[in-house]
Amino acid sequence: DPRADIAGSVLWDGVTVGAGAIARDCVLADGVTISAGRRLERLAVVPRTAAPNGARGQADGDLWLMPLDAASR
């Protein structure tokens, strides 16, 4: 959506970003849908079904969110 604010982020194939959503310093993997108005910062985001076993991070609906901060490694 042209009303989304994407900065310093990498979007893979098939990513959908809703109106007013913000993604700063993120990696959005294949097939990820970010809902309208959602704010994401410094995250790798994959579909929940694609998250490897034992992956750090947390489930959020149909997404798996993994922090990109060095301190969380």
Side-chain angles (χ1 to χ4, degrees), residues 4-73:
D5 180 3
I6 309 297
S9 297
V10 176
L11 282 65
W12 293 6
D13 295 332
V15 172
T16 302
V17 181
I22 298 170
R24 299 228 168 90
D25 302 320
C26 293
V27 177
L28 306 179
D30 291 339
V32 163
T33 297
I34 304 302
S35 58
R38 181 82 189 263
R39 181 181 180 101
L40 302 171
E41 290 191 48
R42 298 207 40 80
L43 293 168
V45 182
V46 301
R48 187 174 183 176
T49 58
N53 289 339
R56 64 187 174 94
Q58 64 185 32
D60 186 339
D62 61 347
L63 302 176
W64 189 263
L65 311 177
M66 297 172 279
L68 293 175
D69 296 335
S72 64
R73 292 183 185 167

